């Protein structure tokens, strides 16, 4: 008598269906009762100490005794095209909190949400204007000549540019999954690696800005999700069924969704210039980048550098990050790899254990 290799008994099928119905019912209850306040992101206590044209600078409350706080403050520079909350997504997965617990005095630059009138802002406006104003304010506010920078993704490319032009104001440079050489991924890469760079290189950015002014966050999000379409568009939502009855796990899932889909539009002119000069032109490593008439020569970047990358990053593949070491003039250059992905470097379980301690020990060893 023929029998199937997998036996599905009616009683088992009914039990599984009942369990699924119970899970879905609990999930509907959780979703109904959760409010926006329950899905809080960026919740670490802080003060707004400086504000200019919708851009805010936060100073976070210390979490250790004053005697344990480093004398050199650290400013986190997020990307322009994502919310700063990726560095402070939830209490138990927060780069900001982890740095504070290591005794680092943390500031953060929140680029905010641009208005249509802001579409004319240039790379020069951001690097030599807003970025420089923020650094100068923190230096004066904190009473120091130099501060340390920690750049996140695009914010890392901007931080590298700024630090190269202003060695008298920056003492240490920490980079996390930061694109430096936008062509480095092209040798022996898998099809999904660097896909956003490939798409960006082929995009008609002039037309996008002409139509929209500021490029809508929805357009940027679709580009991001197309880098891994099945996982980001379908897979994660199928998987959420497994956590519907777990209120805490559901909150954490929704925090990530809130951050991902709540980001700012990209400032039109700045977006055009960044795509043209950094991504398409790769001018930062070619030595042909100019900002406000000033040439950016990475050989003049001689301060200590800690370059942190994610081994599984398909958004900014590791070769695009670690290429920096070939171009800078610094004699104190360190690379640190974490076995995670582009976002996981801030929110993943492993990163909570190793990222902030590495930054803190590296800074202390260099007199911070």
């Amino acid at each position: 008598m023929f029998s199937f290799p997998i036996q599905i008994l009616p009683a088992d099928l009914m039990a599984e269906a009942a369990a699924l119905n119970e899970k879905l019912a609990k999930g509907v209850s959780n979703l109904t009762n959760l409010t926006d306040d329950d899905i809080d992101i960026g919740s670490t206590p802080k003060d707004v100490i400086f504000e200019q044209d919708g851009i805010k600078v936060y100073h976070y409350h210390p979490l250790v005794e004053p005697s344990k706080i480093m004398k050199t403050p650290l400013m986190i520079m997020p990307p322009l095209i994502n919310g700063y909350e990726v560095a402070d997504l939830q209490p138990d997965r927060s780069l900001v909190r982890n740095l504070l617990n290591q005794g680092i005095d943390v500031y953060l630059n929140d680029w905010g949400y641009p208005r249509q009138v802001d579409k004319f802002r240039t790379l020069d406006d951001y690097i030599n204007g807003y970025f420089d104003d923020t650094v100068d304010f923190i230096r004066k506010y904190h009473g120091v000549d130099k501060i340390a920078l920690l750049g996140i993704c695009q914010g890392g490319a901007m931080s590298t540019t700024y630090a190269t032009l202003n060695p008298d104001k920056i003492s240490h440079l920490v980079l996390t999954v930061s694109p430096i050489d936008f062509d480095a991924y092209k040798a022996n890469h898998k099809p999904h690696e660097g896909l956003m760079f490939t798409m960006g290189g082929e995009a008609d950015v002039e037309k996008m800005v002409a139509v929209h002014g500021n490029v809508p966050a929805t357009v940027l999000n679709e580009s991001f999700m197309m880098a891994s379409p099945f996982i980001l568009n379908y897979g994660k939502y199928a998987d959420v069924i497994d956590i519907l009855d777990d209120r805490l796990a559901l909150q954490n899932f929704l925090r990530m969704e809130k951050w991902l889909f709540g980001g700012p539009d990209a400032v039109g002119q700045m977006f055009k210039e960044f795509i043209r000069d950094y991504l398409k032109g790769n001018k930062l490593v070619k030595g042909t980048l100019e900002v406000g008439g000033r040439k950016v020569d990475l050989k003049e970047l001689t301060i200590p550098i800690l370059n942190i990358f994610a081994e599984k990053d398909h958004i900014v593949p590791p070769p695009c990050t670690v290429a920096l070491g070939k171009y800078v003039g610094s004699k104190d250059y360190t690379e640190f790899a974490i076995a995670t992905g582009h976002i996981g470097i801030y929110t993943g379980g492993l990163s909570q254990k190793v990222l902030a301690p590495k930054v803190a020990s590296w800074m202390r060893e260099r007199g911070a």
Side-chain angles (χ1 to χ4, degrees):
M1 180 177 178
F2 177 78
S3 63
F4 288 101
I6 300 175
Q7 297 296 317
I8 302 176
L9 301 177
D12 294 339
L13 187 61
M14 291 178 64
E16 186 171 338
L20 178 60
N21 284 335
E22 183 179 353
K23 183 185 288 284
L24 291 174
K26 185 66 178 295
V28 170
S29 176
N30 282 336
L31 289 170
T32 301
N33 293 313
L34 284 172
T35 67
D36 190 61
D37 290 338
D38 295 319
I39 316 301
D40 56 331
I41 57 177
S43 62
T44 301
K46 56 187 177 292
D47 299 313
V48 178
I49 60 168
F50 181 65
E51 189 169 1
Q52 180 180 200
D53 296 340
I55 300 168
K56 298 177 182 178
V57 177
Y58 301 131
H59 186 203
Y60 288 89
H61 299 180
L63 296 179
V64 298
E65 298 174 7
S67 62
K68 297 181 179 179
I69 298 176
M70 294 185 195
K71 61 184 179 181
T72 301
L74 174 73
M75 181 176 75
I76 298 176
M77 186 59 63
L80 280 162
I81 57 175
N82 295 114
Y84 77 90
E85 297 91 349
V86 71
D88 188 27
L89 196 65
Q90 61 196 59
D92 61 341
R93 293 179 184 267
S94 168
L95 173 60
V96 169
R97 285 180 187 262
N98 292 338
L99 292 171
L100 292 170
N101 282 323
Q102 292 292 323
I104 298 177
D105 204 341
V106 180
Y107 294 79
L108 184 144
N109 190 84
D110 175 7
W111 291 115
Y113 291 78
R115 307 158 296 173
Q116 270 298 320
V117 70
D118 300 326
K119 65 183 179 181
F120 302 106
R121 291 178 183 171
T122 65
L123 178 64
D124 181 27
D125 291 331
Y126 279 97
I127 298 296
N128 295 321
Y130 298 119
F131 201 140
D132 194 46
D133 290 346
T134 295
V135 170
D136 284 345
F137 181 87
I138 294 175
R139 290 167 61 226
K140 183 178 180 181
Y141 181 86
H142 208 88
V144 294
D145 293 329
K146 297 182 178 182
I147 70 170
L149 289 179
L150 188 154
I152 294 176
C153 191
Q154 180 197 31
M158 295 173 66
S159 295
T160 301
T161 302
Y162 181 85
T164 302
L165 294 174
N166 298 277
D168 57 322
K169 299 180 181 182
I170 305 301
S171 59
H172 307 73
L173 178 63
V174 181
L175 302 175
T176 57
V177 292
S178 299
I180 300 297
D181 183 343
F182 286 81
D183 291 336
Y185 74 97
K186 294 180 179 178
N188 302 317
H189 74 289
K190 297 177 182 178
H192 70 291
E193 293 175 342
L195 188 57
M196 287 196 66
F197 293 167
T198 301
M199 292 189 295
E202 296 175 354
D204 190 340
V205 180
E206 291 281 346
K207 185 174 293 184
M208 293 170 65
V209 173
V211 170
H212 296 290
N214 294 328
V215 180
T218 52
V219 173
L220 301 175
N221 285 338
E222 287 298 325
S223 300
F224 171 74
M225 290 188 291
M226 287 306 295
S228 187
F230 292 103
I231 293 175
L232 298 177
N233 285 296
Y234 306 106
K236 66 176 180 178
Y237 298 115
D239 292 342
V240 80
I241 294 175
D242 294 330
I243 63 169
L244 279 176
D245 58 342
D246 185 333
R247 181 183 173 90
L248 181 59
L250 187 59
Q251 280 180 278
N252 292 340
F253 173 82
L254 292 174
R255 285 188 176 104
M256 177 62 76
E257 293 294 284
K258 184 176 183 178
W259 169 75
L260 180 61
F261 292 102
D265 297 341
V267 173
Q269 184 61 30
M270 169 62 181
F271 188 69
K272 282 200 303 184
E273 293 181 14
F274 191 87
I275 297 297
R276 180 194 68 200
D277 293 344
Y278 287 80
L279 195 159
K280 293 185 178 182
N282 210 18
K283 293 181 179 181
L284 183 59
V285 297
K286 290 180 179 178
T288 56
L289 179 65
E290 291 190 6
V291 182
R294 302 171 64 191
K295 184 178 179 181
V296 182
D297 183 357
L298 290 177
K299 288 298 181 185
E300 297 180 3
L301 183 58
T302 58
I303 62 174
I305 301 169
L306 174 60
N307 196 1
I308 302 172
F309 64 97
E311 293 178 341
K312 303 175 184 178
D313 194 341
H314 67 275
I315 302 296
V316 181
C320 299
T321 297
V322 301
L324 179 66
K326 299 187 297 183
Y327 298 101
V328 296
S330 177
K331 304 297 184 183
D332 186 354
Y333 173 82
T334 304
E335 292 175 359
F336 184 66
I338 301 179
T340 186
H342 189 75
I343 305 301
I345 203 168
Y346 309 108
T347 64
L350 176 60
S351 293
Q352 309 312 307
K353 301 174 184 178
V354 301
L355 178 53
K358 178 61 180 181
V359 173
S361 63
W362 179 83
M363 288 181 63
R364 282 197 175 92
E365 290 167 1
R366 288 154 181 81

